[in-house]
């Protein structure tokens, strides 16, 4: 027999080769989740919820009406945001023509039925209302804006003008006070002294003032603050208990809006600063293949989270009692060449990103993380929809939100949790219903994880590429090892 002597270098090379081959054949050690139940990160203040943007698919004669409002009711979410939006001016604006000396033109016929259905579907839960569109005739214009006769025809050019014709803003505040009274006080008295009866007596615990003013009319922080003060002053007279949400910008790219609006010195005496909101959407480059979206979306999400931390530092310095609603969170692939067919895995990827944002915003103490939006369809941001416009079934984005909302909420205690993988997010919670672990797979691949020993026989609920448009799958663990599928959002209940 010949004796073979290995040098140290040769041994290390051999070991590396064995580990490489083991990994290639799936024999590598699983990633490990570690939980320190005795170490608290934060007590959650965060509600997971959604927004409902009004569009023709929510009309009572639409094929999506029943399925969409049924899904909204089944969600049982608090603080759902309702936004009639300017592309459908006849349902978003209830005084489309300026009053004359002898006539006014109030018309709620295209708005009431959707408000009724929304309030019925969210009954028992507080809502955030936002009739966001200012009648365009209130702006100085070179010529009138002519809208389509068909209330269901989209019209993107409604929001014209940059300067209000009434700088005192009495006209602006009067419009919103009458609209508000229509839905909360049974009616209102118009500009000519005539009473319009509605019989509505809804309670609106939250009212958001305008929507994305940085885009709609390109309003400055200074002008918006004056508008906010004028509107809130009048609405507080009608409903002192209502809380008001301001800013509502699309792009939180700088601190200018927050530095100005959150400084009480920039507001009229007596005008309350109660809440702020802003939005985030992840968008890939136009020529970016789907396989890279998983990296782009989460990188963009991390950039947004950095901006959120910066905004939080401003809020805490200037108005620490103000709450924050981040009430439009989603992905937009508009302009990306995907040949008109959205990859089915996209909905799971988008849901995974929302779940990731929910966890991180909870750690920051943000009060609301709102997924956008209930209903979208071709020409109306189909990539942001939580409903399939072809069959009116909820997609994976809906089921991820429901999974989070049904398991987590304000009062939960987040415990120190770690996992030795950049592809997975793990977060342990102590809830009123017991200990739970949330796992988020950020990648389009299957991942194996080793959990703490006490997770054997834990109850598993998951939304992933296998569940499709169905509710969360459920099973029970038999060991403390788990395999999570691509873009999975998983809750383990102990």
């Amino acid at each position: 027999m010949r004796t073979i002597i290995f040098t140290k270098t040769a041994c290390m090379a051999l070991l590396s080769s064995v580990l490489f081959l083991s990994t290639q054949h799936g024999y590598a050690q699983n990633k490990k989740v570690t939980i320190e139940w005795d170490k608290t990160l934060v007590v959650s203040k965060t509600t997971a919820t959604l927004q409902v943007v009004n569009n023709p698919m929510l009309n009572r004669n639409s094929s999506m009406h029943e399925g969409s409002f049924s899904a909204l009711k089944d969600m049982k979410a608090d603080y759902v945001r309702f936004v009639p939006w300017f592309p459908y001016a006849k349902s978003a604006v209830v005084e489309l023509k300026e009053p004359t000396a002898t006539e006014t033109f109030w018309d709620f016929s295209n708005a009431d039925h959707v408000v009724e259905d929304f309030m019925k579907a969210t009954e028992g839960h507080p809502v955030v209302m936002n009739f966001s569109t200012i009648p365009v005739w209130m702006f100085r214009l070179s010529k009138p804006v002519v809208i389509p006769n068909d209330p269901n025809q989209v019209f993107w050019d409604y929001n014209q003008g940059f300067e209000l014709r009434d700088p005192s803003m009495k006209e602006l505040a009067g419009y919103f006070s009458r609209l508000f009274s229509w839905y909360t006080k049974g009616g209102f008295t118009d500009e000519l002294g005539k009473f319009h009866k509605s019989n509505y007596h809804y309670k609106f615990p939250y009212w958001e003032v305008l929507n994305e003013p940085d885009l709609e009319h390109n309003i400055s922080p200074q002008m918006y603050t004056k508008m906010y003060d004028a509107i809130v002053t009048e609405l507080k007279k009608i409903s002192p208990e209502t809380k008001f949400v301001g800013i509502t910008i699309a792009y939180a790219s700088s601190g200018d809006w927050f530095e100005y609006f959150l400084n009480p010195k920039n507001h009229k005496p007596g005008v309350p600063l109660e809440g702020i909101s802003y939005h985030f959407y992840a968008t890939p480059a136009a020529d970016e293949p789907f396989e890279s979206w998983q990296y782009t979306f989460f990188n963009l999400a991390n950039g947004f989270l950095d901006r959120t931390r910066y905004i939080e530092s401003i809020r805490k310095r200037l108005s620490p009692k103000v709450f924050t609603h981040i009430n439009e969170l989603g992905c937009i692939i508009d302009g990306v060449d995907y040949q008109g067919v959205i990859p089915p895995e996209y909905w799971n990827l988008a849901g995974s990103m929302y779940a990731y944002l929910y966890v991180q915003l909870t750690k920051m103490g943000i009060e609301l993380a709102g997924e956008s939006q209930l209903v979208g369809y071709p020409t109306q941001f189909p990539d942001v929809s939580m409903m399939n416009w072809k069959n009116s079934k909820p997609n994976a984005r809906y089921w991820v939100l429901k999974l989070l909302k049904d398991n987590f909420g304000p009062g939960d205690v987040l415990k120190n949790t770690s996992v030795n993988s950049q592809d997975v997010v793990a977060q342990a919670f102590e809830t009123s219903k017991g200990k739970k672990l949330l796992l988020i797979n950020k990648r389009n691949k299957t991942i194996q994880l080793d959990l703490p020993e006490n997770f054997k026989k834990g109850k598993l609920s998951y939304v992933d590429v296998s569940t499709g448009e169905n509710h969360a799958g459920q099973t029970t663990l038999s060991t403390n090892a788990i395999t999570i599928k691509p873009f999975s959002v998983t809750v383990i209940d102990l």
Side-chain angles (χ1 to χ4, degrees):
M1 295 178 64
R2 284 197 288 177
T3 302
I4 301 175
I5 301 174
F6 290 100
T7 65
K8 182 178 180 181
T9 301
C11 288
M12 293 300 293
L14 179 61
L15 178 60
S16 296
S17 298
V18 170
L19 289 174
F20 174 77
L21 290 171
S22 296
T23 302
Q24 292 298 98
H25 289 85
Y27 301 128
Q29 276 193 332
N30 294 347
K31 303 299 182 183
K32 184 177 181 181
V33 175
T34 303
I35 304 171
E36 297 177 283
W37 291 107
D38 58 339
K39 292 186 179 180
T40 294
L41 292 177
V42 68
V43 177
S44 173
K45 299 191 295 183
T46 308
T47 296
T49 188
L50 70 153
Q51 76 157 344
V52 176
V53 177
N54 189 16
N55 60 49
M57 290 296 105
L58 294 178
N59 290 344
R60 288 175 178 170
N61 61 356
S62 165
S63 61
M64 291 190 69
H65 175 273
E66 184 175 349
S68 298
F69 280 107
S70 177
L72 178 61
K73 182 177 181 179
D74 290 345
M75 182 65 73
K76 299 178 181 178
D78 291 336
Y79 312 118
V80 179
R81 179 185 187 235
F82 178 69
V83 189
W85 199 34
F86 76 87
Y88 300 98
K90 287 194 173 184
S91 59
V93 179
V94 293
E95 192 180 24
L96 283 167
K97 295 166 62 177
E98 63 179 291
T100 68
T102 59
E103 189 177 7
T104 63
F105 302 94
W106 293 91
D107 182 1
F108 291 82
S109 62
N110 292 297
D112 283 352
H113 63 96
V114 185
V115 173
E116 289 174 6
D117 294 343
F118 172 79
M119 294 301 292
K120 183 178 180 181
T122 57
E123 189 174 3
H125 301 273
V127 297
V128 181
M129 299 298 291
N130 184 347
F131 272 82
S132 62
T133 306
I134 301 170
V136 73
W137 55 263
M138 291 187 179
F139 288 86
R140 297 186 185 277
L141 302 172
S142 58
K143 61 181 180 180
V145 175
V146 180
I147 65 172
N149 289 326
D150 181 358
N152 297 325
Q153 181 179 335
V154 67
F155 181 63
W156 294 104
D157 293 330
Y158 184 77
N159 276 341
Q160 298 185 31
F162 303 100
E163 182 183 357
L164 289 173
R165 70 180 195 175
D166 173 23
S168 74
M169 300 192 186
K170 291 181 180 179
E171 193 170 61
L172 174 73
Y175 170 79
F176 282 104
S177 68
R178 292 183 176 97
L179 189 162
F180 191 94
S181 295
W182 176 263
Y183 288 115
T184 63
K185 297 298 180 184
F188 64 88
T189 300
D190 70 17
E191 297 92 330
L192 301 181
K194 179 182 176 181
F195 184 75
H196 298 253
K197 186 178 181 180
S198 71
N199 292 322
Y200 293 124
H201 294 275
Y202 294 125
K203 298 294 183 183
F204 293 156
Y206 294 84
W207 185 277
E208 193 175 37
V209 181
L210 308 185
N211 173 69
E212 298 188 346
D214 50 336
L215 298 183
E216 299 179 16
H217 300 287
N218 299 116
I219 297 169
S220 69
Q222 293 76 15
M223 179 58 67
Y224 175 82
T225 299
K226 291 179 181 178
M227 291 177 167
Y228 173 93
D229 287 2
I231 293 169
V232 171
T233 297
E234 291 304 310
L235 299 194
K236 274 290 186 182
K237 294 175 184 177
I238 302 167
S239 180
E241 67 275 12
T242 296
K243 295 184 182 298
F244 291 89
V245 185
I247 297 186
T248 76
I249 57 173
Y251 297 111
S253 54
S254 73
D256 294 350
W257 274 85
F258 303 92
E259 288 283 359
Y260 192 86
F261 182 86
L262 285 170
N263 189 338
K265 294 179 181 179
N266 294 325
H267 292 264
K268 290 181 179 179
V271 175
L273 286 178
E274 294 169 314
I276 59 170
S277 64
Y278 49 99
H279 308 154
F280 166 72
Y281 292 93
T283 302
D287 58 349
E288 197 172 335
F290 172 74
E291 191 55 38
S292 69
W293 294 2
Q294 59 188 305
Y295 305 103
T296 298
F297 285 2
F298 283 95
N299 287 340
L300 292 172
N302 285 330
F304 170 72
L305 292 168
D306 285 341
R307 294 196 298 276
T308 300
R309 294 182 185 95
Y310 172 57
I311 292 165
E312 279 293 280
S313 70
I314 297 172
R315 182 192 63 80
K316 291 174 182 178
R317 170 166 49 86
L318 293 175
S319 295
K321 294 183 179 180
V322 165
F323 60 80
T324 299
H325 286 184
I326 302 181
N327 50 19
E328 289 191 34
L329 292 169
C331 310
I332 293 178
I333 55 176
D334 221 19
V336 176
D337 184 16
Y338 53 90
Q339 286 79 47
V341 179
I342 298 177
E345 299 88 353
Y346 164 82
W347 306 110
N348 295 96
L349 167 58
S352 175
M353 189 198 75
Y354 171 75
Y356 173 70
L357 288 169
Y358 169 78
V359 170
Q360 303 307 320
L361 294 174
T362 299
K363 291 178 181 179
M364 290 188 219
I366 301 299
E367 282 82 357
L368 184 145
E371 192 174 31
S372 174
Q373 62 188 37
L374 182 64
V375 174
Y377 56 97
T379 75
Q380 295 296 298
F381 298 99
D383 36 3
V384 183
S385 185
M386 299 167 69
M387 302 291 298
N388 184 332
W389 56 88
K390 294 180 180 179
N391 61 19
S392 298
K393 292 181 65 175
N395 63 32
R397 298 183 72 236
Y398 173 95
W399 292 116
V400 166
L401 172 61
K402 185 163 178 58
L403 183 65
L404 295 174
K405 177 258 157 194
D406 287 350
N407 283 280
F408 309 112
D412 293 347
V413 182
L414 280 70
K415 296 297 182 175
N416 196 43
T417 314
S418 61
V419 57
N420 57 340
S421 171
Q422 296 295 314
D423 298 330
V424 179
V425 175
Q427 182 57 59
F429 295 75
E430 273 192 1
T431 76
S432 60
K433 297 179 181 179
K435 294 179 178 180
K436 301 186 181 188
L437 174 65
L438 173 63
L439 299 172
I440 303 165
N441 186 350
K442 300 192 293 181
R443 301 295 177 237
N444 192 15
K445 63 181 179 180
T446 298
I447 297 176
Q448 290 79 37
L449 295 170
D450 283 335
L451 306 175
E453 284 293 327
N454 62 331
F455 275 80
K456 291 179 181 178
K457 297 184 180 181
K459 295 179 180 179
L460 200 71
S461 300
Y462 58 91
V463 176
D464 60 28
V465 293
S466 72
T467 56
E469 293 178 343
N470 302 304
H471 58 73
Q474 294 185 328
T475 188
T476 301
L477 288 174
S478 57
T479 71
N480 68 316
I482 182 176
T483 299
I484 54 175
K485 292 185 178 181
F487 304 133
S488 171
V489 179
T490 299
V491 175
I492 306 173
D493 189 340
L494 294 182

